[in-house]
Amino acid sequence: AKQDGRARFHFFSAEIEESLRSRHRLASDLRLALEGRQFRLHYQPQVAAGSGRIVGVEALLRWPRSGAPATSPAAFIPMAEESGLIVPLGAWVLGEACAAACRWRDAGAPTRVSVNVSAVQFLDPGWLDLVRATLARTGLTAGLLELEITEGVLARDLPRTLGIINELKAIGVSIALDDFGTGYSSLSYLKRFPIDVLKIDQSFVREMTDDPCDAAIVGAVTRMAQGLGLQLVAEGVETPAQADLLAQLGCGIMQGYRFSRPVPEEDLLRLLLHGTLT
Ligand code: C2E
Ligand code: CA
Ligand code: CA
Ligand code: CA
């Protein structure tokens, strides 16, 4: 069988061979980076529309590599998922984010932290125990933890996902639906799953001030969120014009470069102690 594989391998073009090699390299670089504690988290504020008060922060993974340009998680998370490394990597992210939230609380600025969770992690058999153990170990109140999942997670295994979400809610953790409107959107998910927060995708926000169609979608999602009693967070808010229009449409919470880029923990604490971002 091994020879068979080798024979077939010769049919691969040099390009595919090179791409396989670089993917393999990325996978092993990721593993080494996790072992070498090279990953960092940055935190991006979520701001209340009226007051400019910081109501929460999203933890975003960073991989600073000496000699190499910073690689976006959008590029390496899929490889971490494919190789299974997302499970230990995601465990580290959760632990680090909860520990940071404890430090902000102890510094007098208790703040909810949102952690991105991929489908592979969410459906991992050890996931619920990991969340419980992490909260216990760090001493973070469950109410200060939010988990961001995408519509893709909900589509995987409906009864199982519902069970996991119900357990998390019972612990006191809140759930945000990320990138809303881009995936396999089904409005029935909003009815079936006890979600707390909708994050409308930045692709709608980006064009909103030029494209009436996007503005109409954002407006409709805002009203829907209100009707369902969900918090709505607009992502990727970059300009004052976008922020103004979002506020007019009734969007409660905004996140984006307009207010702050994702920043290291110490910088975030300074923003939190200052209180508002306008
Ligand atoms: P996401 O969860 O949708 O995160 C929002 C992305 O938009 C982040 O990109 C953030 O830096 C970026 N962003 C924030 N404000 C603005 C803005 O005003 N304009 C623009 N153009 N972009 C803005 P980032 O940090 O590169 O992360 C990319 C994706 O990687 C995330 O998308 C998320 O899907 C994934 N990711 C990041 N950290 C983690 C993690 O710890 N675990 C998992 N599973 N996925 C993660
Ligand atoms: Ca997110
Ligand atoms: Ca998002
Ligand atoms: Ca995204």
Side-chain angles (χ1 to χ4, degrees):
K2 194 172 174 191
Q3 257 181 357
D4 221 52
R6 196 169 295 154
R8 247 185 289 125
F9 193 72
H10 286 295
F11 287 97
F12 281 60
S13 74
E15 267 165 59
I16 294 175
E17 198 178 316
E18 174 49 32
S19 126
L20 281 174
R21 203 174 289 132
S22 76
R23 286 157 60 81
H24 184 80
R25 201 179 305 127
L26 177 60
S28 73
D29 282 357
L30 283 169
R31 195 165 299 115
L32 289 174
L34 182 60
E35 285 163 9
R37 306 184 152 273
Q38 286 170 23
F39 289 104
R40 296 285 176 274
L41 291 183
H42 280 189
Y43 302 90
Q44 186 175 38
Q46 300 177 332
V47 170
S51 63
R53 216 166 51 81
I54 300 174
V55 295
V57 301
E58 178 177 4
L60 292 157
L61 194 55
R62 295 291 177 262
W63 184 17
R65 292 204 277 175
S66 53
T71 321
S72 164
F76 65 77
I77 291 282
M79 175 54 78
E81 285 170 344
E82 219 172 283
S83 64
L85 193 75
I86 192 70
V87 173
L89 178 56
W92 177 82
V93 169
L94 183 68
E96 179 63 17
C98 289
C102 284
R103 292 188 282 267
W104 299 323
R105 177 200 61 198
D106 295 343
T111 303
R112 182 179 76 184
V113 69
S114 295
V115 174
N116 290 286
V117 182
S118 82
V120 182
Q121 287 174 270
F122 204 79
L123 296 172
D124 184 79
W127 172 243
L128 276 173
D129 285 339
L130 177 76
V131 174
R132 285 196 199 94
T134 305
L135 288 169
R137 173 169 59 82
T138 57
L140 186 70
T141 322
L144 288 180
L145 177 62
E146 179 171 282
L147 300 174
E148 297 194 1
I149 58 176
T150 56
E151 293 158 310
V153 177
L154 304 183
R156 293 263 176 131
D157 181 343
L158 210 140
R160 194 146 160 249
T161 311
L162 185 58
I164 295 170
I165 292 179
N166 282 333
E167 287 278 338
L168 290 166
K169 299 274 304 195
I171 301 171
V173 172
S174 55
I175 306 289
L177 195 51
D178 203 359
D179 301 346
F180 184 72
T182 58
Y184 319 78
S185 304
S186 163
L187 295 180
S188 72
Y189 292 152
L190 299 180
K191 190 175 137 183
R192 272 192 255 186
F193 293 97
I195 303 246
D196 303 283
V197 178
L198 272 192
K199 298 191 75 176
I200 188 159
D201 191 69
Q202 50 191 69
S203 57
F204 300 106
V205 174
R206 191 175 308 132
E207 309 266 289
M208 204 180 46
T209 48
D210 306 313
D211 187 342
C213 189
D214 284 308
I217 291 173
V218 174
V221 171
T222 305
R223 286 188 296 279
M224 184 179 70
Q226 279 164 357
L228 292 168
L230 304 177
Q231 284 189 5
L232 184 72
V233 177
E235 307 190 285
V237 184
E238 292 184 349
T239 67
Q242 289 166 347
D244 289 347
L245 182 53
L246 283 164
Q248 254 176 55
L249 292 172
C251 171
I253 304 173
M254 304 184 207
Q255 179 182 350
Y257 300 165
R258 161 77 185 89
F259 301 97
S260 171
R261 290 191 170 254
V263 295
E265 182 182 332
E266 319 78 63
D267 297 3
L268 188 88
L269 179 60
R270 237 168 277 135
L271 295 177
L272 289 176
L273 292 173
H274 186 257
T276 60
L277 277 176
T278 48

mmCIF file with all atom_site columns, all heavy atoms in Angstrom, residues 171-185:
data_model
loop_
_atom_site.group_PDB
_atom_site.id
_atom_site.type_symbol
_atom_site.label_atom_id
_atom_site.label_alt_id
_atom_site.label_comp_id
_atom_site.label_asym_id
_atom_site.label_entity_id
_atom_site.label_seq_id
_atom_site.pdbx_PDB_ins_code
_atom_site.Cartn_x
_atom_site.Cartn_y
_atom_site.Cartn_z
_atom_site.occupancy
_atom_site.B_iso_or_equiv
_atom_site.pdbx_formal_charge
_atom_site.auth_seq_id
_atom_site.auth_comp_id
_atom_site.auth_asym_id
_atom_site.auth_atom_id
_atom_site.pdbx_PDB_model_num
ATOM 1   N N   . ILE A 1 171 ? -24.800 26.842 33.036 1.00 0.00 ? 171 ILE A N   1
ATOM 2   C CA  . ILE A 1 171 ? -23.639 27.272 33.820 1.00 0.00 ? 171 ILE A CA  1
ATOM 3   C C   . ILE A 1 171 ? -23.658 28.792 33.996 1.00 0.00 ? 171 ILE A C   1
ATOM 4   O O   . ILE A 1 171 ? -23.156 29.318 34.980 1.00 0.00 ? 171 ILE A O   1
ATOM 5   C CB  . ILE A 1 171 ? -22.316 26.874 33.106 1.00 0.00 ? 171 ILE A CB  1
ATOM 6   C CG1 . ILE A 1 171 ? -22.224 25.359 32.890 1.00 0.00 ? 171 ILE A CG1 1
ATOM 7   C CG2 . ILE A 1 171 ? -21.100 27.356 33.884 1.00 0.00 ? 171 ILE A CG2 1
ATOM 8   C CD1 . ILE A 1 171 ? -21.042 24.953 31.996 1.00 0.00 ? 171 ILE A CD1 1
ATOM 9   N N   . GLY A 1 172 ? -24.225 29.500 33.004 1.00 0.00 ? 172 GLY A N   1
ATOM 10  C CA  . GLY A 1 172 ? -24.260 30.962 33.084 1.00 0.00 ? 172 GLY A CA  1
ATOM 11  C C   . GLY A 1 172 ? -23.439 31.655 32.012 1.00 0.00 ? 172 GLY A C   1
ATOM 12  O O   . GLY A 1 172 ? -23.291 32.878 32.009 1.00 0.00 ? 172 GLY A O   1
ATOM 13  N N   . VAL A 1 173 ? -22.903 30.850 31.071 1.00 0.00 ? 173 VAL A N   1
ATOM 14  C CA  . VAL A 1 173 ? -22.108 31.394 29.967 1.00 0.00 ? 173 VAL A CA  1
ATOM 15  C C   . VAL A 1 173 ? -23.058 31.887 28.882 1.00 0.00 ? 173 VAL A C   1
ATOM 16  O O   . VAL A 1 173 ? -24.075 31.248 28.610 1.00 0.00 ? 173 VAL A O   1
ATOM 17  C CB  . VAL A 1 173 ? -21.194 30.287 29.403 1.00 0.00 ? 173 VAL A CB  1
ATOM 18  C CG1 . VAL A 1 173 ? -20.480 30.732 28.139 1.00 0.00 ? 173 VAL A CG1 1
ATOM 19  C CG2 . VAL A 1 173 ? -20.194 29.821 30.454 1.00 0.00 ? 173 VAL A CG2 1
ATOM 20  N N   . SER A 1 174 ? -22.765 33.016 28.242 1.00 0.00 ? 174 SER A N   1
ATOM 21  C CA  . SER A 1 174 ? -23.648 33.457 27.155 1.00 0.00 ? 174 SER A CA  1
ATOM 22  C C   . SER A 1 174 ? -23.086 33.093 25.784 1.00 0.00 ? 174 SER A C   1
ATOM 23  O O   . SER A 1 174 ? -21.896 32.823 25.631 1.00 0.00 ? 174 SER A O   1
ATOM 24  C CB  . SER A 1 174 ? -23.987 34.941 27.267 1.00 0.00 ? 174 SER A CB  1
ATOM 25  O OG  . SER A 1 174 ? -22.824 35.703 27.322 1.00 0.00 ? 174 SER A OG  1
ATOM 26  N N   . ILE A 1 175 ? -23.978 33.065 24.807 1.00 0.00 ? 175 ILE A N   1
ATOM 27  C CA  . ILE A 1 175 ? -23.630 32.588 23.468 1.00 0.00 ? 175 ILE A CA  1
ATOM 28  C C   . ILE A 1 175 ? -23.908 33.684 22.447 1.00 0.00 ? 175 ILE A C   1
ATOM 29  O O   . ILE A 1 175 ? -25.002 34.256 22.406 1.00 0.00 ? 175 ILE A O   1
ATOM 30  C CB  . ILE A 1 175 ? -24.490 31.358 23.080 1.00 0.00 ? 175 ILE A CB  1
ATOM 31  C CG1 . ILE A 1 175 ? -24.409 30.252 24.138 1.00 0.00 ? 175 ILE A CG1 1
ATOM 32  C CG2 . ILE A 1 175 ? -24.093 30.830 21.702 1.00 0.00 ? 175 ILE A CG2 1
ATOM 33  C CD1 . ILE A 1 175 ? -23.092 29.535 24.215 1.00 0.00 ? 175 ILE A CD1 1
ATOM 34  N N   . ALA A 1 176 ? -22.906 33.952 21.610 1.00 0.00 ? 176 ALA A N   1
ATOM 35  C CA  . ALA A 1 176 ? -23.085 34.905 20.509 1.00 0.00 ? 176 ALA A CA  1
ATOM 36  C C   . ALA A 1 176 ? -23.012 34.164 19.181 1.00 0.00 ? 176 ALA A C   1
ATOM 37  O O   . ALA A 1 176 ? -22.216 33.243 19.020 1.00 0.00 ? 176 ALA A O   1
ATOM 38  C CB  . ALA A 1 176 ? -21.999 35.986 20.566 1.00 0.00 ? 176 ALA A CB  1
ATOM 39  N N   . LEU A 1 177 ? -23.859 34.571 18.255 1.00 0.00 ? 177 LEU A N   1
ATOM 40  C CA  . LEU A 1 177 ? -23.816 33.998 16.912 1.00 0.00 ? 177 LEU A CA  1
ATOM 41  C C   . LEU A 1 177 ? -23.026 34.962 16.026 1.00 0.00 ? 177 LEU A C   1
ATOM 42  O O   . LEU A 1 177 ? -23.456 36.078 15.761 1.00 0.00 ? 177 LEU A O   1
ATOM 43  C CB  . LEU A 1 177 ? -25.246 33.805 16.405 1.00 0.00 ? 177 LEU A CB  1
ATOM 44  C CG  . LEU A 1 177 ? -25.449 32.913 15.194 1.00 0.00 ? 177 LEU A CG  1
ATOM 45  C CD1 . LEU A 1 177 ? -24.759 31.560 15.352 1.00 0.00 ? 177 LEU A CD1 1
ATOM 46  C CD2 . LEU A 1 177 ? -26.945 32.710 14.939 1.00 0.00 ? 177 LEU A CD2 1
ATOM 47  N N   . ASP A 1 178 ? -21.831 34.512 15.616 1.00 0.00 ? 178 ASP A N   1
ATOM 48  C CA  . ASP A 1 178 ? -20.854 35.339 14.908 1.00 0.00 ? 178 ASP A CA  1
ATOM 49  C C   . ASP A 1 178 ? -21.136 35.350 13.398 1.00 0.00 ? 178 ASP A C   1
ATOM 50  O O   . ASP A 1 178 ? -21.733 34.409 12.874 1.00 0.00 ? 178 ASP A O   1
ATOM 51  C CB  . ASP A 1 178 ? -19.463 34.739 15.152 1.00 0.00 ? 178 ASP A CB  1
ATOM 52  C CG  . ASP A 1 178 ? -18.342 35.749 14.960 1.00 0.00 ? 178 ASP A CG  1
ATOM 53  O OD1 . ASP A 1 178 ? -18.614 36.903 14.619 1.00 0.00 ? 178 ASP A OD1 1
ATOM 54  O OD2 . ASP A 1 178 ? -17.169 35.353 15.173 1.00 0.00 ? 178 ASP A OD2 1
ATOM 55  N N   . ASP A 1 179 ? -20.666 36.384 12.722 1.00 0.00 ? 179 ASP A N   1
ATOM 56  C CA  . ASP A 1 179 ? -20.740 36.468 11.258 1.00 0.00 ? 179 ASP A CA  1
ATOM 57  C C   . ASP A 1 179 ? -22.165 36.273 10.760 1.00 0.00 ? 179 ASP A C   1
ATOM 58  O O   . ASP A 1 179 ? -22.384 35.670 9.698  1.00 0.00 ? 179 ASP A O   1
ATOM 59  C CB  . ASP A 1 179 ? -19.844 35.398 10.595 1.00 0.00 ? 179 ASP A CB  1
ATOM 60  C CG  . ASP A 1 179 ? -18.384 35.523 10.998 1.00 0.00 ? 179 ASP A CG  1
ATOM 61  O OD1 . ASP A 1 179 ? -18.015 36.569 11.565 1.00 0.00 ? 179 ASP A OD1 1
ATOM 62  O OD2 . ASP A 1 179 ? -17.616 34.582 10.745 1.00 0.00 ? 179 ASP A OD2 1
ATOM 63  N N   . PHE A 1 180 ? -23.129 36.791 11.499 1.00 0.00 ? 180 PHE A N   1
ATOM 64  C CA  . PHE A 1 180 ? -24.530 36.522 11.150 1.00 0.00 ? 180 PHE A CA  1
ATOM 65  C C   . PHE A 1 180 ? -24.861 37.077 9.761  1.00 0.00 ? 180 PHE A C   1
ATOM 66  O O   . PHE A 1 180 ? -24.538 38.218 9.434  1.00 0.00 ? 180 PHE A O   1
ATOM 67  C CB  . PHE A 1 180 ? -25.481 37.132 12.191 1.00 0.00 ? 180 PHE A CB  1
ATOM 68  C CG  . PHE A 1 180 ? -26.923 36.792 11.923 1.00 0.00 ? 180 PHE A CG  1
ATOM 69  C CD1 . PHE A 1 180 ? -27.392 35.503 12.138 1.00 0.00 ? 180 PHE A CD1 1
ATOM 70  C CD2 . PHE A 1 180 ? -27.795 37.738 11.418 1.00 0.00 ? 180 PHE A CD2 1
ATOM 71  C CE1 . PHE A 1 180 ? -28.705 35.167 11.876 1.00 0.00 ? 180 PHE A CE1 1
ATOM 72  C CE2 . PHE A 1 180 ? -29.122 37.416 11.151 1.00 0.00 ? 180 PHE A CE2 1
ATOM 73  C CZ  . PHE A 1 180 ? -29.570 36.133 11.375 1.00 0.00 ? 180 PHE A CZ  1
ATOM 74  N N   . GLY A 1 181 ? -25.510 36.236 8.972  1.00 0.00 ? 181 GLY A N   1
ATOM 75  C CA  . GLY A 1 181 ? -25.920 36.652 7.643  1.00 0.00 ? 181 GLY A CA  1
ATOM 76  C C   . GLY A 1 181 ? -25.025 36.157 6.529  1.00 0.00 ? 181 GLY A C   1
ATOM 77  O O   . GLY A 1 181 ? -25.324 36.339 5.354  1.00 0.00 ? 181 GLY A O   1
ATOM 78  N N   . THR A 1 182 ? -23.911 35.510 6.889  1.00 0.00 ? 182 THR A N   1
ATOM 79  C CA  . THR A 1 182 ? -22.984 35.079 5.841  1.00 0.00 ? 182 THR A CA  1
ATOM 80  C C   . THR A 1 182 ? -23.023 33.576 5.585  1.00 0.00 ? 182 THR A C   1
ATOM 81  O O   . THR A 1 182 ? -22.716 33.129 4.508  1.00 0.00 ? 182 THR A O   1
ATOM 82  C CB  . THR A 1 182 ? -21.519 35.408 6.198  1.00 0.00 ? 182 THR A CB  1
ATOM 83  O OG1 . THR A 1 182 ? -21.223 34.773 7.442  1.00 0.00 ? 182 THR A OG1 1
ATOM 84  C CG2 . THR A 1 182 ? -21.323 36.897 6.338  1.00 0.00 ? 182 THR A CG2 1
ATOM 85  N N   . GLY A 1 183 ? -23.351 32.819 6.609  1.00 0.00 ? 183 GLY A N   1
ATOM 86  C CA  . GLY A 1 183 ? -23.208 31.365 6.488  1.00 0.00 ? 183 GLY A CA  1
ATOM 87  C C   . GLY A 1 183 ? -24.446 30.712 5.941  1.00 0.00 ? 183 GLY A C   1
ATOM 88  O O   . GLY A 1 183 ? -25.085 31.208 5.020  1.00 0.00 ? 183 GLY A O   1
ATOM 89  N N   . TYR A 1 184 ? -24.762 29.587 6.543  1.00 0.00 ? 184 TYR A N   1
ATOM 90  C CA  . TYR A 1 184 ? -25.941 28.848 6.139  1.00 0.00 ? 184 TYR A CA  1
ATOM 91  C C   . TYR A 1 184 ? -27.101 29.414 6.946  1.00 0.00 ? 184 TYR A C   1
ATOM 92  O O   . TYR A 1 184 ? -27.745 28.700 7.700  1.00 0.00 ? 184 TYR A O   1
ATOM 93  C CB  . TYR A 1 184 ? -25.770 27.369 6.445  1.00 0.00 ? 184 TYR A CB  1
ATOM 94  C CG  . TYR A 1 184 ? -24.399 26.843 6.132  1.00 0.00 ? 184 TYR A CG  1
ATOM 95  C CD1 . TYR A 1 184 ? -23.323 27.072 6.991  1.00 0.00 ? 184 TYR A CD1 1
ATOM 96  C CD2 . TYR A 1 184 ? -24.181 26.122 4.956  1.00 0.00 ? 184 TYR A CD2 1
ATOM 97  C CE1 . TYR A 1 184 ? -22.064 26.590 6.689  1.00 0.00 ? 184 TYR A CE1 1
ATOM 98  C CE2 . TYR A 1 184 ? -22.920 25.631 4.665  1.00 0.00 ? 184 TYR A CE2 1
ATOM 99  C CZ  . TYR A 1 184 ? -21.870 25.872 5.531  1.00 0.00 ? 184 TYR A CZ  1
ATOM 100 O OH  . TYR A 1 184 ? -20.624 25.394 5.240  1.00 0.00 ? 184 TYR A OH  1
ATOM 101 N N   . SER A 1 185 ? -27.280 30.740 6.836  1.00 0.00 ? 185 SER A N   1
ATOM 102 C CA  . SER A 1 185 ? -28.260 31.398 7.696  1.00 0.00 ? 185 SER A CA  1
ATOM 103 C C   . SER A 1 185 ? -29.607 30.740 7.599  1.00 0.00 ? 185 SER A C   1
ATOM 104 O O   . SER A 1 185 ? -30.154 30.571 6.527  1.00 0.00 ? 185 SER A O   1
ATOM 105 C CB  . SER A 1 185 ? -28.449 32.857 7.289  1.00 0.00 ? 185 SER A CB  1
ATOM 106 O OG  . SER A 1 185 ? -27.234 33.517 7.315  1.00 0.00 ? 185 SER A OG  1
#
